[in-house]
Amino acid sequence: MLPSVLPTESDHIPVLADEVVAALDPRPGEAIVDATFGAGGHASLLAKRLQGDGKLTAIDRDPTVAPYFERFRRETGVKARLHHGEFSAVLEHLAENGVGADVILLDLGVSSMQLDRPDRGFSYAVDAPLDMRMDPGAAYSARELVNEGEEGQLAEIFRRYGEERYARQIARAIVKRRQGRPFERTGDLVEVIKAAIPAPARFGEGHPAKRVFQALRIEVNDELGALARALPAALQMLRPGGRLAVISFHSLEDRIVKRFLRSQEHGCTCPPDFPLCVCGAEPTMRATPRRALRPSAAEIARNPRAQSARLRGAVKA
Ligand SMILES: C[S@@+](CC[C@H](N)C(=O)[O-])C[C@H]1O[C@@H](n2cnc3c(N)ncnc32)[C@H](O)[C@@H]1O
């Protein structure tokens, strides 16, 4: 059973909102795809620019966004449709079926509603069932990963996706503890992480479980794989002159976006030591703005979750 979810005033605050609207610049009559609908904050701002003429396709793998989508439809009156699913799969499906778009937005990661709802198990700050699935219908949760993952695999996940310095020690402690009793709740995991970290390190750089929780969430939801698959599908969907914007929240995501845009801007795939291009591949996108945009100090003060956000945009050639 899904929890009852009614939109409230404390819903997700859209990050870099003015910058997103400026980069995507939707015009009346255009087709917008918001691939990470969430509470529909960005979608509402983008839809306003359509002035009642155009359509918006919303995607989210979390079915609890449905009431937010209904509110969006009621308040904007825009022609809109919600697809429940993983965005790379939905974008690929739409592209294969010849559906075009003028504007595509990906605002990555979890929403405030997912983080703040204890039963979703994303937060290290409250004791809750160990879950972290963005789609509560997905087969694989943090519970399976933490109780069944091999020690080496867990350490690698913590190191790579969380940049956790004590990855090996934490993985070892998890495997030792689960031999007696499997992990069921976030609180148990937090205790084991704290105990595995040397005492002085427990008080530096934020909550001691923050990096491990981020790493588990990225792995459980295959966040980097989904992003890498979604970018070419988004490019395929975009019409000439179409605009793409991606908001990422950590360097691993931003690197995938940056590399993809660079390769599309470059076009040619010949080895660098070839004196002449023989592949004939043309640039397909132009990054604009050239560099990633960061939130202002005023935005971070208003919405601390914007702190690590980076926005990259591009126009299809
Ligand atoms: C940061 S929130 C988006 C908030 C939204 N822009 C707003 O203004 O309310 C990210 C949303 O994207 C969804 N999401 C993240 N990765 C996804 C994926 N690979 N496929 C589909 N939905 C995804 C999450 O479930 C979440 O609802």
Side-chain angles (χ1 to χ4, degrees):
M1 255 277 281
L2 292 173
S4 89
V5 187
L6 289 174
T8 67
E9 282 309 307
S10 61
D11 289 345
H12 191 89
I13 305 169
V15 168
L16 288 162
D18 293 343
E19 292 83 350
V20 165
V21 175
L24 292 175
D25 189 22
R27 299 156 208 167
E30 288 195 329
I32 300 173
V33 176
D34 184 344
T36 48
F37 185 79
H42 285 114
S44 299
L45 296 169
L46 296 171
K48 226 181 248 173
R49 290 288 205 92
L50 296 178
Q51 297 174 21
D53 178 19
K55 63 173 181 188
L56 185 134
T57 302
I59 306 171
D60 208 298
R61 65 188 352 183
D62 186 344
T64 69
V65 306
Y68 295 93
F69 178 74
E70 286 315 319
R71 176 181 67 176
F72 163 83
R73 202 155 45 178
R74 215 173 36 247
E75 289 179 357
T76 63
V78 156
K79 211 164 115 191
R81 186 167 170 200
L82 172 64
H83 293 267
H84 169 231
E86 200 275 289
F87 56 50
S88 68
V90 179
L91 291 171
E92 280 166 3
H93 174 79
L94 295 173
E96 276 160 20
N97 285 284
V99 179
D102 301 292
V103 160
I104 301 181
L105 170 65
L106 288 110
D107 174 19
L108 303 171
V110 277
S111 65
S112 301
M113 296 89 69
Q114 289 166 329
L115 273 177
D116 293 344
R117 215 160 281 144
D119 53 294
R120 304 297 297 268
F122 282 106
S123 173
Y124 44 76
V126 273
D127 183 35
L130 195 51
D131 191 322
M132 303 195 199
R133 288 169 299 174
M134 288 188 199
D135 179 353
Y140 184 64
S141 76
R143 190 180 169 283
E144 277 79 46
L145 178 56
V146 167
N147 286 312
E148 293 163 19
E150 286 178 12
E151 186 178 321
Q153 179 200 5
L154 291 174
E156 180 60 13
I157 290 168
F158 302 156
R159 194 189 58 73
R160 188 182 295 178
Y161 299 154
E163 295 177 64
E164 172 55 65
R165 201 179 328 155
Y166 300 101
R168 281 211 346 260
Q169 290 89 324
I170 295 170
R172 196 177 313 136
I174 287 176
V175 169
K176 189 164 169 222
R177 142 73 212 252
R178 78 188 186 196
Q179 281 162 0
R181 200 159 35 102
F183 287 90
E184 297 291 345
R185 302 189 64 84
T186 53
D188 301 337
L189 183 59
V190 169
E191 287 313 310
V192 170
I193 295 168
K194 277 190 190 160
I197 294 179
R202 273 176 229 154
F203 304 101
E205 305 159 46
H207 193 286
K210 184 176 166 189
R211 292 175 295 279
V212 168
F213 270 58
Q214 170 182 298
L216 289 171
R217 197 201 85 201
I218 292 175
E219 173 70 11
V220 164
N221 296 289
D222 183 24
E223 292 181 34
L224 302 182
L227 174 61
R229 294 188 298 274
L231 293 172
L235 173 62
Q236 198 184 333
M237 269 192 89
L238 279 178
R239 300 187 176 120
R243 285 84 66 203
L244 170 71
V246 185
I247 304 174
S248 59
F249 289 86
H250 53 82
S251 54
L252 296 169
E253 286 173 340
D254 186 52
R255 198 174 308 150
I256 292 174
V257 181
K258 189 164 125 186
R259 287 195 179 152
F260 175 78
L261 295 182
R262 284 244 171 95
S263 71
Q264 297 306 319
E265 273 195 314
H266 190 59
C268 170
T269 56
C270 295
D273 56 343
F274 272 31
L276 282 175
C277 170
V278 291
C279 74
E282 296 283 339
T284 57
M285 298 198 96
R286 183 169 46 85
T288 170
R290 297 292 314 155
R291 292 173 158 276
L293 294 179
R294 310 290 306 261
S296 63
E299 174 166 4
I300 296 169
R302 266 195 323 274
N303 179 14
R305 280 178 184 163
Q307 172 99 42
S308 52
R310 287 182 186 85
L311 169 68
R312 291 190 186 271
V315 177
K316 184 160 173 175

